[in-house]
Amino acid sequence: MANRILWADDEIDLLKPHLMFLRNKGYEVATANNGHDALDMVQADHYDLIILDENMPGLTGLETLMRIKQIEPHLPVIMITKSEEENIMDQAVGAKIADYLIKPVNPNYIPITEYLYSSNR
């Protein structure tokens, strides 16, 4: 069975090359355009890893992260942000993110395998 990743980003259409790269590596990647959809998907299905944009309209990435952790406390989440604001990352680290990356993201440097294999629940 393929490892399942959920990537939530309000600019998901701009990430098609990243998604294709991950799918070509054998990962099953589902997408959400906002935090509400991501939460619905986490409640309805199993994912091995979440990649979550910090800056989304409606529910922010941090708000979505907090709710994901209420549903699946041990699910690894990689937060992606355009901002290098220390406050945002302090809050995310306090919510137990697995890692964070600064946009623009190079898919070669997303530490997916490290978190997928350590998250066997």
Side-chain angles (χ1 to χ4, degrees), residues 12-42:
I12 203 73
D13 290 338
L14 302 176
L15 299 170
K16 285 184 182 179
H18 293 63
L19 301 172
M20 286 176 47
F21 173 85
L22 293 172
R23 288 175 179 140
N24 287 338
K25 292 281 189 181
Y27 301 107
E28 185 179 322
V29 184
T31 61
N33 289 311
N34 59 65
H36 290 289
D37 289 349
L39 289 171
D40 289 345
M41 293 172 76
V42 168

PDB file of all heavy atoms in Angstrom, residues 12-42:
ATOM      1  N   ILE A  12      -2.941  25.303  -4.369  1.00  0.00           N
ATOM      2  CA  ILE A  12      -2.598  23.923  -4.745  1.00  0.00           C
ATOM      3  C   ILE A  12      -2.407  23.773  -6.252  1.00  0.00           C
ATOM      4  O   ILE A  12      -1.596  22.967  -6.696  1.00  0.00           O
ATOM      5  CB  ILE A  12      -3.636  22.919  -4.177  1.00  0.00           C
ATOM      6  CG1 ILE A  12      -3.033  21.525  -4.060  1.00  0.00           C
ATOM      7  CG2 ILE A  12      -4.912  22.905  -4.988  1.00  0.00           C
ATOM      8  CD1 ILE A  12      -2.057  21.352  -2.964  1.00  0.00           C
ATOM      9  N   ASP A  13      -3.120  24.577  -7.050  1.00  0.00           N
ATOM     10  CA  ASP A  13      -2.971  24.488  -8.504  1.00  0.00           C
ATOM     11  C   ASP A  13      -1.560  24.846  -8.955  1.00  0.00           C
ATOM     12  O   ASP A  13      -1.079  24.347  -9.970  1.00  0.00           O
ATOM     13  CB  ASP A  13      -3.981  25.396  -9.215  1.00  0.00           C
ATOM     14  CG  ASP A  13      -5.406  24.882  -9.069  1.00  0.00           C
ATOM     15  OD1 ASP A  13      -5.580  23.670  -8.810  1.00  0.00           O
ATOM     16  OD2 ASP A  13      -6.339  25.689  -9.196  1.00  0.00           O
ATOM     17  N   LEU A  14      -0.886  25.699  -8.205  1.00  0.00           N
ATOM     18  CA  LEU A  14       0.486  26.084  -8.544  1.00  0.00           C
ATOM     19  C   LEU A  14       1.494  25.005  -8.164  1.00  0.00           C
ATOM     20  O   LEU A  14       2.655  25.077  -8.547  1.00  0.00           O
ATOM     21  CB  LEU A  14       0.853  27.392  -7.836  1.00  0.00           C
ATOM     22  CG  LEU A  14      -0.040  28.597  -8.141  1.00  0.00           C
ATOM     23  CD1 LEU A  14       0.379  29.794  -7.290  1.00  0.00           C
ATOM     24  CD2 LEU A  14       0.010  28.937  -9.627  1.00  0.00           C
ATOM     25  N   LEU A  15       1.046  24.003  -7.427  1.00  0.00           N
ATOM     26  CA  LEU A  15       1.944  22.960  -6.932  1.00  0.00           C
ATOM     27  C   LEU A  15       1.877  21.664  -7.739  1.00  0.00           C
ATOM     28  O   LEU A  15       2.407  20.653  -7.314  1.00  0.00           O
ATOM     29  CB  LEU A  15       1.624  22.670  -5.459  1.00  0.00           C
ATOM     30  CG  LEU A  15       1.814  23.864  -4.523  1.00  0.00           C
ATOM     31  CD1 LEU A  15       1.255  23.555  -3.145  1.00  0.00           C
ATOM     32  CD2 LEU A  15       3.281  24.253  -4.436  1.00  0.00           C
ATOM     33  N   LYS A  16       1.237  21.708  -8.903  1.00  0.00           N
ATOM     34  CA  LYS A  16       1.103  20.495  -9.715  1.00  0.00           C
ATOM     35  C   LYS A  16       2.439  19.806  -9.986  1.00  0.00           C
ATOM     36  O   LYS A  16       2.522  18.583  -9.892  1.00  0.00           O
ATOM     37  CB  LYS A  16       0.349  20.800 -11.006  1.00  0.00           C
ATOM     38  CG  LYS A  16      -1.130  20.970 -10.762  1.00  0.00           C
ATOM     39  CD  LYS A  16      -1.911  21.170 -12.034  1.00  0.00           C
ATOM     40  CE  LYS A  16      -3.372  21.385 -11.670  1.00  0.00           C
ATOM     41  NZ  LYS A  16      -4.211  21.615 -12.812  1.00  0.00           N
ATOM     42  N   PRO A  17       3.513  20.549 -10.310  1.00  0.00           N
ATOM     43  CA  PRO A  17       4.800  19.847 -10.505  1.00  0.00           C
ATOM     44  C   PRO A  17       5.273  19.118  -9.239  1.00  0.00           C
ATOM     45  O   PRO A  17       5.820  18.023  -9.322  1.00  0.00           O
ATOM     46  CB  PRO A  17       5.770  20.966 -10.881  1.00  0.00           C
ATOM     47  CG  PRO A  17       4.905  22.074 -11.397  1.00  0.00           C
ATOM     48  CD  PRO A  17       3.615  21.968 -10.630  1.00  0.00           C
ATOM     49  N   HIS A  18       5.034  19.722  -8.075  1.00  0.00           N
ATOM     50  CA  HIS A  18       5.418  19.082  -6.811  1.00  0.00           C
ATOM     51  C   HIS A  18       4.609  17.807  -6.585  1.00  0.00           C
ATOM     52  O   HIS A  18       5.141  16.782  -6.167  1.00  0.00           O
ATOM     53  CB  HIS A  18       5.169  20.037  -5.643  1.00  0.00           C
ATOM     54  CG  HIS A  18       6.041  21.247  -5.636  1.00  0.00           C
ATOM     55  ND1 HIS A  18       6.014  22.199  -6.624  1.00  0.00           N
ATOM     56  CD2 HIS A  18       6.968  21.666  -4.747  1.00  0.00           C
ATOM     57  CE1 HIS A  18       6.875  23.143  -6.349  1.00  0.00           C
ATOM     58  NE2 HIS A  18       7.475  22.848  -5.206  1.00  0.00           N
ATOM     59  N   LEU A  19       3.315  17.896  -6.876  1.00  0.00           N
ATOM     60  CA  LEU A  19       2.432  16.738  -6.686  1.00  0.00           C
ATOM     61  C   LEU A  19       2.815  15.610  -7.636  1.00  0.00           C
ATOM     62  O   LEU A  19       2.862  14.440  -7.234  1.00  0.00           O
ATOM     63  CB  LEU A  19       0.977  17.142  -6.886  1.00  0.00           C
ATOM     64  CG  LEU A  19       0.457  18.253  -5.956  1.00  0.00           C
ATOM     65  CD1 LEU A  19      -0.928  18.696  -6.373  1.00  0.00           C
ATOM     66  CD2 LEU A  19       0.499  17.831  -4.507  1.00  0.00           C
ATOM     67  N   MET A  20       3.098  15.965  -8.886  1.00  0.00           N
ATOM     68  CA  MET A  20       3.523  14.952  -9.867  1.00  0.00           C
ATOM     69  C   MET A  20       4.831  14.303  -9.430  1.00  0.00           C
ATOM     70  O   MET A  20       4.992  13.083  -9.543  1.00  0.00           O
ATOM     71  CB  MET A  20       3.678  15.583 -11.252  1.00  0.00           C
ATOM     72  CG  MET A  20       2.346  15.890 -11.916  1.00  0.00           C
ATOM     73  SD  MET A  20       2.507  16.754 -13.506  1.00  0.00           S
ATOM     74  CE  MET A  20       3.764  15.816 -14.343  1.00  0.00           C
ATOM     75  N   PHE A  21       5.756  15.086  -8.922  1.00  0.00           N
ATOM     76  CA  PHE A  21       7.036  14.569  -8.448  1.00  0.00           C
ATOM     77  C   PHE A  21       6.803  13.526  -7.354  1.00  0.00           C
ATOM     78  O   PHE A  21       7.369  12.425  -7.393  1.00  0.00           O
ATOM     79  CB  PHE A  21       7.895  15.729  -7.915  1.00  0.00           C
ATOM     80  CG  PHE A  21       9.167  15.289  -7.251  1.00  0.00           C
ATOM     81  CD1 PHE A  21      10.298  15.043  -8.010  1.00  0.00           C
ATOM     82  CD2 PHE A  21       9.238  15.128  -5.876  1.00  0.00           C
ATOM     83  CE1 PHE A  21      11.479  14.631  -7.403  1.00  0.00           C
ATOM     84  CE2 PHE A  21      10.406  14.722  -5.257  1.00  0.00           C
ATOM     85  CZ  PHE A  21      11.528  14.473  -6.031  1.00  0.00           C
ATOM     86  N   LEU A  22       5.950  13.859  -6.379  1.00  0.00           N
ATOM     87  CA  LEU A  22       5.681  12.931  -5.276  1.00  0.00           C
ATOM     88  C   LEU A  22       4.965  11.678  -5.759  1.00  0.00           C
ATOM     89  O   LEU A  22       5.286  10.571  -5.336  1.00  0.00           O
ATOM     90  CB  LEU A  22       4.867  13.630  -4.185  1.00  0.00           C
ATOM     91  CG  LEU A  22       5.605  14.738  -3.438  1.00  0.00           C
ATOM     92  CD1 LEU A  22       4.648  15.491  -2.521  1.00  0.00           C
ATOM     93  CD2 LEU A  22       6.776  14.183  -2.655  1.00  0.00           C
ATOM     94  N   ARG A  23       4.018  11.859  -6.655  1.00  0.00           N
ATOM     95  CA  ARG A  23       3.291  10.694  -7.193  1.00  0.00           C
ATOM     96  C   ARG A  23       4.223   9.795  -7.986  1.00  0.00           C
ATOM     97  O   ARG A  23       4.120   8.569  -7.912  1.00  0.00           O
ATOM     98  CB  ARG A  23       2.107  11.168  -8.032  1.00  0.00           C
ATOM     99  CG  ARG A  23       0.995  11.751  -7.163  1.00  0.00           C
ATOM    100  CD  ARG A  23      -0.141  12.346  -7.954  1.00  0.00           C
ATOM    101  NE  ARG A  23      -1.171  12.845  -7.049  1.00  0.00           N
ATOM    102  CZ  ARG A  23      -1.834  13.969  -7.235  1.00  0.00           C
ATOM    103  NH1 ARG A  23      -1.620  14.715  -8.311  1.00  0.00           N
ATOM    104  NH2 ARG A  23      -2.738  14.350  -6.355  1.00  0.00           N
ATOM    105  N   ASN A  24       5.143  10.393  -8.733  1.00  0.00           N
ATOM    106  CA  ASN A  24       6.120   9.598  -9.484  1.00  0.00           C
ATOM    107  C   ASN A  24       7.068   8.844  -8.562  1.00  0.00           C
ATOM    108  O   ASN A  24       7.655   7.845  -8.955  1.00  0.00           O
ATOM    109  CB  ASN A  24       6.908  10.477 -10.451  1.00  0.00           C
ATOM    110  CG  ASN A  24       6.088  10.915 -11.645  1.00  0.00           C
ATOM    111  OD1 ASN A  24       5.096  10.289 -11.990  1.00  0.00           O
ATOM    112  ND2 ASN A  24       6.484  12.011 -12.274  1.00  0.00           N
ATOM    113  N   LYS A  25       7.224   9.320  -7.331  1.00  0.00           N
ATOM    114  CA  LYS A  25       8.047   8.631  -6.329  1.00  0.00           C
ATOM    115  C   LYS A  25       7.263   7.518  -5.627  1.00  0.00           C
ATOM    116  O   LYS A  25       7.792   6.841  -4.756  1.00  0.00           O
ATOM    117  CB  LYS A  25       8.547   9.626  -5.274  1.00  0.00           C
ATOM    118  CG  LYS A  25       9.544  10.617  -5.784  1.00  0.00           C
ATOM    119  CD  LYS A  25      10.889   9.978  -5.865  1.00  0.00           C
ATOM    120  CE  LYS A  25      11.963  10.988  -6.158  1.00  0.00           C
ATOM    121  NZ  LYS A  25      13.268  10.391  -6.264  1.00  0.00           N
ATOM    122  N   GLY A  26       5.977   7.376  -5.987  1.00  0.00           N
ATOM    123  CA  GLY A  26       5.177   6.280  -5.440  1.00  0.00           C
ATOM    124  C   GLY A  26       4.252   6.664  -4.301  1.00  0.00           C
ATOM    125  O   GLY A  26       3.613   5.792  -3.712  1.00  0.00           O
ATOM    126  N   TYR A  27       4.174   7.951  -3.972  1.00  0.00           N
ATOM    127  CA  TYR A  27       3.284   8.385  -2.906  1.00  0.00           C
ATOM    128  C   TYR A  27       1.886   8.647  -3.456  1.00  0.00           C
ATOM    129  O   TYR A  27       1.730   9.121  -4.567  1.00  0.00           O
ATOM    130  CB  TYR A  27       3.801   9.664  -2.241  1.00  0.00           C
ATOM    131  CG  TYR A  27       5.171   9.503  -1.637  1.00  0.00           C
ATOM    132  CD1 TYR A  27       6.285  10.083  -2.231  1.00  0.00           C
ATOM    133  CD2 TYR A  27       5.349   8.744  -0.484  1.00  0.00           C
ATOM    134  CE1 TYR A  27       7.545   9.925  -1.682  1.00  0.00           C
ATOM    135  CE2 TYR A  27       6.611   8.584   0.067  1.00  0.00           C
ATOM    136  CZ  TYR A  27       7.703   9.177  -0.536  1.00  0.00           C
ATOM    137  OH  TYR A  27       8.943   9.005   0.006  1.00  0.00           O
ATOM    138  N   GLU A  28       0.883   8.342  -2.656  1.00  0.00           N
ATOM    139  CA  GLU A  28      -0.489   8.689  -2.990  1.00  0.00           C
ATOM    140  C   GLU A  28      -0.753  10.052  -2.351  1.00  0.00           C
ATOM    141  O   GLU A  28      -0.662  10.193  -1.129  1.00  0.00           O
ATOM    142  CB  GLU A  28      -1.437   7.635  -2.423  1.00  0.00           C
ATOM    143  CG  GLU A  28      -2.872   7.839  -2.815  1.00  0.00           C
ATOM    144  CD  GLU A  28      -3.757   6.752  -2.258  1.00  0.00           C
ATOM    145  OE1 GLU A  28      -3.334   5.576  -2.224  1.00  0.00           O
ATOM    146  OE2 GLU A  28      -4.868   7.092  -1.831  1.00  0.00           O
ATOM    147  N   VAL A  29      -1.030  11.058  -3.181  1.00  0.00           N
ATOM    148  CA  VAL A  29      -1.168  12.422  -2.682  1.00  0.00           C
ATOM    149  C   VAL A  29      -2.586  12.935  -2.931  1.00  0.00           C
ATOM    150  O   VAL A  29      -3.039  12.984  -4.069  1.00  0.00           O
ATOM    151  CB  VAL A  29      -0.152  13.382  -3.352  1.00  0.00           C
ATOM    152  CG1 VAL A  29      -0.252  14.771  -2.737  1.00  0.00           C
ATOM    153  CG2 VAL A  29       1.271  12.844  -3.236  1.00  0.00           C
ATOM    154  N   ALA A  30      -3.256  13.308  -1.853  1.00  0.00           N
ATOM    155  CA  ALA A  30      -4.563  13.955  -1.931  1.00  0.00           C
ATOM    156  C   ALA A  30      -4.344  15.439  -1.643  1.00  0.00           C
ATOM    157  O   ALA A  30      -3.370  15.816  -0.984  1.00  0.00           O
ATOM    158  CB  ALA A  30      -5.516  13.355  -0.907  1.00  0.00           C
ATOM    159  N   THR A  31      -5.250  16.276  -2.141  1.00  0.00           N
ATOM    160  CA  THR A  31      -5.083  17.713  -1.950  1.00  0.00           C
ATOM    161  C   THR A  31      -6.341  18.341  -1.365  1.00  0.00           C
ATOM    162  O   THR A  31      -7.449  17.844  -1.551  1.00  0.00           O
ATOM    163  CB  THR A  31      -4.752  18.420  -3.276  1.00  0.00           C
ATOM    164  OG1 THR A  31      -5.824  18.230  -4.197  1.00  0.00           O
ATOM    165  CG2 THR A  31      -3.452  17.889  -3.860  1.00  0.00           C
ATOM    166  N   ALA A  32      -6.124  19.445  -0.666  1.00  0.00           N
ATOM    167  CA  ALA A  32      -7.215  20.266  -0.134  1.00  0.00           C
ATOM    168  C   ALA A  32      -6.841  21.724  -0.373  1.00  0.00           C
ATOM    169  O   ALA A  32      -5.659  22.092  -0.286  1.00  0.00           O
ATOM    170  CB  ALA A  32      -7.402  20.007   1.357  1.00  0.00           C
ATOM    171  N   ASN A  33      -7.844  22.542  -0.679  1.00  0.00           N
ATOM    172  CA  ASN A  33      -7.608  23.957  -0.954  1.00  0.00           C
ATOM    173  C   ASN A  33      -7.737  24.844   0.278  1.00  0.00           C
ATOM    174  O   ASN A  33      -7.451  26.029   0.203  1.00  0.00           O
ATOM    175  CB  ASN A  33      -8.603  24.460  -2.017  1.00  0.00           C
ATOM    176  CG  ASN A  33      -8.295  23.899  -3.373  1.00  0.00           C
ATOM    177  OD1 ASN A  33      -7.166  23.935  -3.821  1.00  0.00           O
ATOM    178  ND2 ASN A  33      -9.300  23.371  -4.029  1.00  0.00           N
ATOM    179  N   ASN A  34      -8.192  24.274   1.382  1.00  0.00           N
ATOM    180  CA  ASN A  34      -8.376  25.089   2.583  1.00  0.00           C
ATOM    181  C   ASN A  34      -8.379  24.195   3.821  1.00  0.00           C
ATOM    182  O   ASN A  34      -8.439  22.965   3.717  1.00  0.00           O
ATOM    183  CB  ASN A  34      -9.676  25.908   2.485  1.00  0.00           C
ATOM    184  CG  ASN A  34     -10.892  25.027   2.314  1.00  0.00           C
ATOM    185  OD1 ASN A  34     -11.244  24.255   3.200  1.00  0.00           O
ATOM    186  ND2 ASN A  34     -11.543  25.116   1.157  1.00  0.00           N
ATOM    187  N   GLY A  35      -8.325  24.839   4.968  1.00  0.00           N
ATOM    188  CA  GLY A  35      -8.265  24.097   6.221  1.00  0.00           C
ATOM    189  C   GLY A  35      -9.504  23.281   6.518  1.00  0.00           C
ATOM    190  O   GLY A  35      -9.410  22.176   7.049  1.00  0.00           O
ATOM    191  N   HIS A  36     -10.670  23.815   6.180  1.00  0.00           N
ATOM    192  CA  HIS A  36     -11.916  23.070   6.447  1.00  0.00           C
ATOM    193  C   HIS A  36     -11.946  21.757   5.668  1.00  0.00           C
ATOM    194  O   HIS A  36     -12.287  20.710   6.222  1.00  0.00           O
ATOM    195  CB  HIS A  36     -13.138  23.926   6.095  1.00  0.00           C
ATOM    196  CG  HIS A  36     -13.348  25.080   7.030  1.00  0.00           C
ATOM    197  ND1 HIS A  36     -13.775  24.926   8.329  1.00  0.00           N
ATOM    198  CD2 HIS A  36     -13.167  26.412   6.849  1.00  0.00           C
ATOM    199  CE1 HIS A  36     -13.851  26.105   8.910  1.00  0.00           C
ATOM    200  NE2 HIS A  36     -13.490  27.028   8.035  1.00  0.00           N
ATOM    201  N   ASP A  37     -11.577  21.824   4.378  1.00  0.00           N
ATOM    202  CA  ASP A  37     -11.553  20.601   3.571  1.00  0.00           C
ATOM    203  C   ASP A  37     -10.512  19.618   4.105  1.00  0.00           C
ATOM    204  O   ASP A  37     -10.747  18.408   4.144  1.00  0.00           O
ATOM    205  CB  ASP A  37     -11.263  20.919   2.103  1.00  0.00           C
ATOM    206  CG  ASP A  37     -12.430  21.605   1.409  1.00  0.00           C
ATOM    207  OD1 ASP A  37     -13.540  21.658   1.980  1.00  0.00           O
ATOM    208  OD2 ASP A  37     -12.221  22.098   0.276  1.00  0.00           O
ATOM    209  N   ALA A  38      -9.364  20.142   4.516  1.00  0.00           N
ATOM    210  CA  ALA A  38      -8.318  19.273   5.063  1.00  0.00           C
ATOM    211  C   ALA A  38      -8.826  18.541   6.304  1.00  0.00           C
ATOM    212  O   ALA A  38      -8.606  17.338   6.459  1.00  0.00           O
ATOM    213  CB  ALA A  38      -7.064  20.082   5.391  1.00  0.00           C
ATOM    214  N   LEU A  39      -9.518  19.250   7.175  1.00  0.00           N
ATOM    215  CA  LEU A  39     -10.054  18.622   8.389  1.00  0.00           C
ATOM    216  C   LEU A  39     -11.078  17.553   8.054  1.00  0.00           C
ATOM    217  O   LEU A  39     -11.066  16.470   8.645  1.00  0.00           O
ATOM    218  CB  LEU A  39     -10.674  19.676   9.299  1.00  0.00           C
ATOM    219  CG  LEU A  39      -9.674  20.607   9.976  1.00  0.00           C
ATOM    220  CD1 LEU A  39     -10.403  21.746  10.666  1.00  0.00           C
ATOM    221  CD2 LEU A  39      -8.799  19.849  10.957  1.00  0.00           C
ATOM    222  N   ASP A  40     -11.951  17.854   7.093  1.00  0.00           N
ATOM    223  CA  ASP A  40     -12.933  16.852   6.668  1.00  0.00           C
ATOM    224  C   ASP A  40     -12.235  15.599   6.141  1.00  0.00           C
ATOM    225  O   ASP A  40     -12.652  14.476   6.443  1.00  0.00           O
ATOM    226  CB  ASP A  40     -13.847  17.416   5.573  1.00  0.00           C
ATOM    227  CG  ASP A  40     -14.827  18.456   6.097  1.00  0.00           C
ATOM    228  OD1 ASP A  40     -15.021  18.553   7.336  1.00  0.00           O
ATOM    229  OD2 ASP A  40     -15.389  19.200   5.259  1.00  0.00           O
ATOM    230  N   MET A  41     -11.167  15.802   5.378  1.00  0.00           N
ATOM    231  CA  MET A  41     -10.453  14.663   4.795  1.00  0.00           C
ATOM    232  C   MET A  41      -9.737  13.849   5.871  1.00  0.00           C
ATOM    233  O   MET A  41      -9.721  12.622   5.809  1.00  0.00           O
ATOM    234  CB  MET A  41      -9.481  15.163   3.720  1.00  0.00           C
ATOM    235  CG  MET A  41     -10.208  15.747   2.515  1.00  0.00           C
ATOM    236  SD  MET A  41      -9.117  16.555   1.337  1.00  0.00           S
ATOM    237  CE  MET A  41      -8.392  15.111   0.538  1.00  0.00           C
ATOM    238  N   VAL A  42      -9.157  14.521   6.857  1.00  0.00           N
ATOM    239  CA  VAL A  42      -8.473  13.814   7.950  1.00  0.00           C
ATOM    240  C   VAL A  42      -9.479  12.996   8.759  1.00  0.00           C
ATOM    241  O   VAL A  42      -9.177  11.881   9.188  1.00  0.00           O
ATOM    242  CB  VAL A  42      -7.702  14.807   8.847  1.00  0.00           C
ATOM    243  CG1 VAL A  42      -7.228  14.146  10.132  1.00  0.00           C
ATOM    244  CG2 VAL A  42      -6.515  15.391   8.081  1.00  0.00           C
TER     245      VAL A  42
END
